[in-house]
Amino acid sequence: MRQPAKSIARLLSLCALAALTSLPAGAAEKFVFMTDWVAQAEQGGFYQALAEGLYAKRGLEVEIRPGGTGMDPQKLLAAGSIDGAMGSSGFFTLNLIDVGAPVVTVAALFQKDPTILMSHPRSDVTSLVDMKGKPIHIGDPSVNTMWRWLASRYGYSDSQIRKYSFNIAPFLVDKSAIQQGYVTSEPFTAEKAGVKPQVFLLADNGFASYSAMIMVRKDVLAKREAVVKAFVEASIEGWYHFLTRDPAAAYALIKKQNPDIDDATLANARQKIIEYGLVTGGDAATQGVGYMSAERWQAFTKEMKDLGIYPQNLDWQQGVDLRFVDKGQGLALKP
């Protein structure tokens, strides 16, 4: 008798899930993963996977260490102090390749970089084009990366740069101010202070960087490939669950590591991740969460080399491994 289409689809899904990586029985494999900032919803899928036991189910004992001021996860990763780290943008990958660090990017949980420019409501600024010639508060790490892209695309000049110290108080009191931020964070902070800003997501204006990437040491990948694969798969499943199920367990772990964060901030960030399709939009809609493509890495690298940020002989393939995400593996974990 012919099975209903839904039953067949369910069977195929179960078969795919059964085929996912599980390590041989025995002692759990330790894996230390460091995030790019203090614990927050922008890392929620990793905490969801930990809280639900998705890592443990695959034979892993995962420790999530938060980043923060004065912490450099990429340097710690390159030095072998941790097994994996969260990369905030494609620049992290290319920077490590450029200096010959033994690090490789294996997944991108954000299809869109959450970086924004925001301004007070004003009639003379309705797009990124309109910001040419106007003062913009930019953090030091962005001057030689994201700012170079903005300058090339929109004709911005370095004379526009004002220092952003990751405190939005100056923005709040200066109605002419423009500053960088994350779509999941700074606008909400401004709104709580009584200012509803105009928000311009760079990713929706051609900025092609991936974000929230999983980066590991090359020797870890070579010697513990099954561990890396299991970590990637559990993290992808964790992100699906964080965005489609009750995130309370992830929130609890996040607040344990970051007592200063509140439920409203967590809920806003999660909602913006969903609203802007940061995780499940773009190619992830058809290829699954975590997906990266060779074509996009090639285009992003070429654009940044053409801007003079990297040497022309830099090869992105020296620091990117697509094998865990380039065949729609994330779709098997989709609810």
Side-chain angles (χ1 to χ4, degrees):
M1 184 174 69
R2 184 179 178 184
Q3 289 181 293
K6 287 186 177 180
S7 297
I8 295 174
R10 177 63 178 164
L11 178 60
L12 291 173
S13 177
L14 290 172
C15 290
L17 286 171
L20 293 175
T21 298
S22 58
L23 299 173
E29 287 273 357
K30 180 79 173 178
F31 192 88
V32 179
F33 183 73
M34 191 171 197
T35 62
D36 58 347
W37 194 242
V38 295
Q40 54 187 349
E42 290 85 341
Q43 306 141 1
F46 299 112
Y47 285 99
Q48 189 84 14
L50 185 61
E52 288 188 10
L54 300 179
Y55 294 124
K57 184 174 72 174
R58 290 170 170 83
L60 302 181
E61 180 188 343
V62 170
E63 176 189 347
I64 298 179
R65 293 182 186 173
T69 304
M71 305 293 287
D72 193 328
Q74 283 68 44
K75 285 185 179 179
L76 290 171
L77 180 60
S81 300
I82 53 179
D83 300 305
M86 185 175 169
S88 300
S89 77
F91 291 117
F92 284 61
T93 298
L94 299 185
N95 288 344
L96 290 167
I97 296 170
D98 193 28
V99 299
V103 173
V104 60
T105 296
V106 295
L109 283 310
F110 280 16
Q111 291 293 307
K112 292 182 179 181
D113 188 300
T115 302
I116 60 164
L117 292 182
M118 69 180 190
S119 74
H120 288 256
R122 48 194 289 190
S123 59
D124 63 332
V125 174
T126 60
S127 69
L128 293 176
V129 174
D130 297 332
M131 296 180 186
K132 181 179 179 180
K134 297 177 174 62
I136 303 177
H137 293 259
I138 299 291
D140 288 342
S142 299
V143 171
N144 288 315
T145 53
M146 176 267 287
W147 179 258
R148 296 277 287 276
W149 178 83
L150 286 166
S152 171
R153 177 157 292 211
Y154 300 107
Y156 297 176
S157 67
D158 288 353
S159 63
Q160 295 178 238
I161 296 175
R162 303 292 185 271
K163 187 177 180 65
Y164 174 44
S165 60
F166 302 96
N167 179 349
I168 74 164
F171 173 84
L172 295 174
V173 300
D174 181 1
K175 291 187 177 181
S176 68
I178 301 170
Q179 74 157 65
Q180 76 172 108
Y182 266 14
V183 70
T184 52
S185 179
E186 278 82 355
F188 184 63
T189 302
E191 287 181 26
K192 288 192 293 185
V195 176
K196 187 171 179 58
Q198 297 184 124
V199 176
F200 305 90
L201 184 68
L202 301 194
D204 285 344
N205 288 274
F207 187 55
S209 174
Y210 288 114
S211 185
M213 298 174 296
I214 297 174
M215 313 173 81
V216 300
R217 283 181 55 86
K218 290 184 176 180
D219 61 341
V220 172
L221 179 58
K223 298 174 184 176
R224 306 169 71 198
E225 181 179 334
V227 170
V228 173
K229 188 173 188 291
F231 181 80
V232 169
E233 289 174 347
S235 298
I236 290 171
E237 188 173 8
W239 273 101
Y240 274 127
H241 289 187
F242 179 67
L243 299 177
T244 62
R245 298 184 180 184
D246 184 356
Y251 287 174
L253 286 182
I254 290 170
K255 288 190 289 185
K256 184 176 181 179
Q257 288 193 346
N258 181 11
D260 293 331
I261 202 164
D262 57 53
D263 287 336
T265 299
L266 289 165
N268 170 77
R270 177 176 175 271
Q271 180 56 39
K272 294 302 179 185
I273 290 170
I274 295 169
E275 178 183 331
Y276 281 87
L278 301 187
V279 172
T280 58
D283 289 335
T286 56
Q287 299 296 325
V289 164
Y291 180 76
M292 303 187 297
S293 74
E295 293 77 14
R296 183 164 164 184
W297 271 111
Q298 175 63 26
F300 178 74
T301 304
K302 182 181 185 304
E303 184 174 20
M304 299 311 150
K305 289 195 291 189
D306 289 346
L307 291 179
I309 298 176
Y310 301 106
Q312 287 297 319
N313 64 353
L314 185 142
D315 181 6
W316 65 267
Q317 295 178 84
Q318 295 302 308
V320 177
D321 192 320
L322 301 174
R323 79 181 90 166
F324 305 116
V325 296
D326 70 340
K327 297 178 179 63
Q329 292 98 319
L331 289 176
L333 299 162
K334 188 174 182 178

